[in-house]
Amino acid sequence: NSISALEEEVIDAAESGGRLEMAFSHLAGYFRRIDQTRRRILKGAVYPIVLIHLAIPATTIATMSFRSLSPDLSGEPFDFATVTEQIFRNLGIAYAVGIVVLLAGYGLHSMSRHSAGVDHVLNRLPMIGKARKAVVVERFARVFVVFLLAGNPLADALYAAPRAFPNHFSRAMDAAEQSGQLDQAAAEWGGIYAEEARDEMERVAEWTPKLFYWAILVFVGYLIIKAVLSYQDLLMNLIDPSY
């Protein structure tokens, strides 16, 4: 994982305030959770990836075999080079779609750091939105304990960003600020949202491979339908050569 400007500022502030162990503890937990989620997604994606690499050659060979069979020998000749080319073309389409989706996701994630509109759209996505919100609030609460705030009251800033911070969190921090227990409250809320972030990211890690698997099934189903239609045409030609 690359270190962002936020992580650098957290380490600098913690080092200056003598709370370096707290900053590293937060960063270790955050990066560990990200790594575990990524590993689960990659592990879950192995089966659909193997499936598509088996299904594409099988359905392509079947489709072109059926097309080559015709009672009047008018079908397309079965040529190994042509079949191989078609297999790689179908695999290329699958790879291209996967790469486009990955690049789009990475691009939107990068844009969300500087665009409130993109960030709002991502936060509206099922599962992903909840996970992002939980991580953001958890990181804010954790990092806040490290930083020494001064100036305007914190509650004013929280209330000014209702989309970024849940109302119950803002009210709790407001009450803690007035009672002089802001550091304790921030640590407690950090723990609460750390658990929520962990649960949401586990849900993302569980469902992302499933969605990928269903997308692969749709594509494989399309190839199977093509093979079935080719087989149907073959049977109709055998029954009625004028078909």
Side-chain angles (χ1 to χ4, degrees):
N1 291 305
S2 59
I3 302 298
S4 67
L6 174 61
E7 279 85 43
E8 292 180 358
E9 292 178 4
V10 169
I11 295 174
D12 289 340
E15 186 176 17
S16 300
R19 308 299 296 271
L20 201 56
E21 75 287 349
M22 183 179 294
F24 282 136
S25 175
H26 159 67
L27 294 177
Y30 170 73
F31 286 120
R32 180 170 57 252
R33 191 162 55 241
I34 295 294
D35 182 67
Q36 290 174 346
T37 302
R38 183 182 294 113
R39 288 176 180 271
R40 287 189 60 186
I41 291 175
L42 292 177
K43 182 178 179 181
V46 170
Y47 177 72
I49 290 175
V50 172
L51 173 64
I52 197 170
H53 282 81
L54 294 176
I56 286 180
T59 55
T60 302
I61 292 173
T63 300
M64 301 194 72
S65 297
F66 295 146
R67 289 178 179 176
S68 67
L69 300 175
S70 177
D72 57 359
L73 302 178
S74 61
E76 302 175 4
F78 185 88
D79 179 67
F80 181 77
T82 304
V83 173
T84 302
E85 179 183 353
Q86 186 63 42
I87 290 174
F88 280 103
R89 183 179 302 157
N90 290 336
L91 285 173
I93 293 174
Y95 278 118
V97 172
I99 292 173
V100 168
V101 171
L102 289 176
L103 291 178
Y106 179 78
L108 290 174
H109 174 69
S110 299
M111 292 172 59
S112 66
R113 298 179 179 179
H114 310 286
S115 173
V118 175
D119 185 69
H120 179 66
V121 171
L122 292 179
N123 286 338
R124 301 285 293 180
L125 295 177
M127 294 184 295
I128 295 178
K130 289 184 177 180
R132 295 181 81 250
K133 289 180 180 179
V135 170
V136 167
V137 178
E138 184 254 337
R139 295 206 75 186
F140 171 82
R142 295 291 196 189
V143 172
F144 172 72
V145 180
V146 178
F147 284 99
L148 297 177
L149 298 183
N152 295 330
L154 174 64
D156 292 348
L158 297 179
Y159 288 135
R163 289 184 177 180
F165 301 99
N167 185 48
H168 60 273
F169 173 76
S170 300
R171 286 183 295 168
M173 297 300 288
D174 186 7
E177 187 174 27
Q178 295 182 28
S179 62
Q181 297 178 337
L182 201 53
D183 55 344
Q184 180 180 351
E188 292 176 352
W189 279 97
I192 293 173
Y193 276 97
E195 294 180 2
E196 182 175 345
R198 182 178 60 252
D199 293 341
E200 295 297 335
M201 293 185 74
E202 287 181 354
R203 190 172 291 111
V204 170
E206 176 184 358
W207 279 95
T208 299
K210 292 182 179 180
L211 296 175
F212 180 60
Y213 174 68
W214 291 339
I216 295 298
L217 283 183
V218 171
F219 184 66
V220 172
Y222 163 74
L223 296 177
I224 292 175
I225 290 174
K226 286 184 61 178
V228 170
L229 291 177
S230 298
Y231 182 66
Q232 182 184 32
D233 291 341
L234 172 62
L235 292 179
M236 294 301 296
N237 283 325
L238 291 174
I239 296 172
D240 182 10
S242 64
Y243 173 75

